[in-house]
Amino acid sequence: MPTHEVTNQPPPFVDHDTYGSDPVLVEGIARWVPQEHREEAGTELGDLGRLAGSARAAEWAERAQRNTPRLITHDRWGHRIDEVDFDPAWHELMSTATGTGLTGTPWVGPEGGAGHLRRAAGLITWSQVEPGHICPITMTNAAVPVLRHSPELAARWEPLLASRTYDFGLREASTKAGAIAGMGMTEKQGGSDVRAGSTRAVLTPGGPLTGETYRLTGHKWFCSAPMSDVFLVLAGTAEGAAPSCFLVPRVLEDGTRNPFALQRLKDKLGDRSNASSEVEFDGTWGALVGEEGRGVRTIIEMVASTRLDCILGSAATMRAALTRAVHHTRHRRAFGAELVDQPLMRNVLTDLALESEAATLLGLRMAHALDEGDTELTRLGVAVCKYWVCKRTAPVVAEALECLGGNGYVEEHGMALLYRQAPLNSIWEGSGNVNALDVLRAIGKEPGSLMALLKVTGEARGQLTELDRALDELERDVAGLAGADATELAVGARRLVERLALTLQASLMVLHSPAPMAEAFVASRLGGGHGETFGTLDPTDVAGAAGVAIERAGVSL
């Protein structure tokens, strides 16, 4: 006879809709997508959300994480091939992301003026399945505006990068139905200081590439997604010269393989399904993108887009952790009641739900600004939001994991993956210090970007006293930046960015979220009604916001 029966355990977290169950996404599409395109967008995102919440997608994610990429340097006959082998599940994930238009589609397709917003909602929806494969999806999208600095290269590659067809394998571009892009910027002696790179590019006219051709020699310490078709790489054209940006394909236009030696794959804390590599260039062909010596300025176009995806990916990680916590507590009883009804647990879940909703709103608002062509807002806003949302992800996931107790620490329950993934976006595309200092540079060089951000934060003026007070204090402090010396500004950069982000989040919550949630967010984040950890909301705020916050945070199973 059995020694026990299994009771008081939640059912599997499958068969739900990650889009339709998220009111922030659904409302964002209804708010910012033109009416004539809303139904189409909602239908496509709903289909994606149901697939994302399916057992089939969960199996793809588990297999892609378990069967990590394998480097194959040589074929059976000893030829150097430098390839990476992936589990078939990886290709299913990539095919879905590409087929839904999460690569370069918003830059070229008629999306009703809201292509970036639709993609943002789709990225949050789909990356909750498995975040590792989103890295090459992100870079493919971000490569499109960079290549437009060289129209001849854009004409050749843009249709492939914007294609909804995933066509894996190293072949000459003209034979492919779609292409994936990677990038190689950092070197081991430089890291974020890309101007310290030692890779050199020598002008070599007449090479087997479209455009002005060079041969590159050097290394890259982090080359993301090395099985991509084409890469954007920084290299200097002379000793001490400012870096230039180059397009480096894996296969040349004459069908031969470009020298591209993969030294090893990184053994990473998270993002394990995605291959990150070290690569050596030895006479590797590249085509100049943009102006010589202006590589950093050229590549900034890519960084702006990838930073936006850091915001979206972190918001997705928060949402995935939150929904798992709500699911568990709705189906687990302790001390005579369901966990979700225990007063202190309601405080924790409500607090996490406020953080998740505010993060998602930030990401969608930045995507909407991109659709509007509001470059002043995105120049500063993306850096501010990237810093803050990515920093908040790790503590959110840690608290959500704790809601599951011991099960949260076990791989098969899904939280361990999210916990390992949570710190990544704070590092990728500039750590916290890099982003905070970039905010200072943007304010100094482009004052209009600060005015654009303050304009958005001020849209909710007059609705909550505590928000108005915070806005007044922020504007006074910002006015005093002009008189501060450089050291004082740098030391206070993180604090400034936090305040900019929080007031922007509060404004968006007041404008777009249910009133009880907005009031609780403002009271806790700006009014001092919060402790040092999640679950320390004032009891009055919990009583007002818990019902609607937990309902918006959950999924129906």
Side-chain angles (χ1 to χ4, degrees), residues 124-251:
I124 292 174
T125 296
W126 183 243
S127 62
Q128 292 180 56
V129 176
E130 197 287 314
H133 77 287
I134 298 299
C135 175
I137 296 299
T138 286
M139 292 185 295
T140 303
N141 175 65
V144 173
V146 179
L147 291 180
R148 289 180 175 177
H149 287 273
S150 293
E152 192 176 7
L153 296 176
R156 179 174 179 81
W157 286 97
E158 191 172 293
L160 296 172
L161 300 175
S163 171
R164 287 189 176 223
T165 300
Y166 176 62
D167 190 357
F168 181 78
L170 297 182
R171 303 191 306 280
E172 200 275 319
S174 66
T175 69
K176 304 200 71 174
I180 298 296
M183 64 180 177
M185 291 194 233
T186 61
E187 300 183 8
K188 48 183 172 279
Q189 76 281 356
S192 295
D193 183 5
V194 294
R195 291 178 175 83
S198 62
T199 299
R200 292 291 168 259
V202 177
L203 179 64
T204 312
L209 279 178
T210 297
E212 190 176 22
T213 55
Y214 292 70
R215 281 188 176 272
L216 279 62
T217 302
H219 77 284
K220 294 298 173 183
W221 188 231
F222 277 95
C223 180
S224 299
M227 282 305 291
S228 298
D229 298 285
V230 65
F231 295 81
L232 292 173
V233 174
L234 291 180
T237 55
E239 185 70 29
S244 302
C245 180
F246 296 90
L247 177 143
V248 175
R250 287 296 312 267
V251 178

Side-chain angles (χ1 to χ4, degrees), residues 55-118:
R56 181 165 54 129
E59 182 184 359
W60 292 341
E62 193 277 329
R63 283 169 47 198
Q65 287 285 325
R66 172 165 39 87
N67 303 322
T68 54
R70 183 172 63 95
L71 175 61
I72 305 174
T73 57
H74 296 77
D75 68 13
R76 69 187 69 182
W77 299 282
H79 303 114
R80 184 100 195 198
I81 58 173
D82 296 292
E83 295 186 1
V84 181
D85 180 58
F86 294 89
D87 188 276
W90 165 270
H91 299 300
E92 296 284 3
L93 294 165
M94 289 289 292
S95 181
T96 300
T98 304
T100 311
L102 302 186
T103 49
T105 303
W107 300 102
V108 300
E111 299 286 337
H116 293 289
L117 176 68
R118 287 178 59 170

Side-chain angles (χ1 to χ4, degrees), residues 27-34 38 112-114 117 361 364-365 368 371-372 508 512:
E27 292 163 6
I29 293 296
R31 179 184 308 117
W32 286 315
V33 172
R38 285 177 199 160
L117 176 68
L361 276 172
L364 296 183
R365 183 63 182 85
H368 176 53
D371 281 322
E372 291 188 311
L508 293 174
H512 305 306

Side-chain angles (χ1 to χ4, degrees), residues 297 300 303-304 307 375-385 433-454 478 481 489 493 496-497 500:
R297 187 172 182 85
I300 284 296
V303 172
R307 281 181 175 176
T375 55
E376 287 193 326
L377 177 58
T378 57
R379 172 65 183 94
L380 182 63
V382 168
V384 167
C385 299
N433 283 356
V434 171
N435 269 266
L437 294 174
D438 192 36
V439 168
L440 289 184
R441 281 190 291 272
I443 292 173
K445 292 183 178 180
E446 303 173 49
S449 64
L450 179 59
M451 295 302 102
L453 185 66
L454 293 177
V478 163
L481 292 177
L489 286 172
L496 172 65
V497 175
L500 288 169

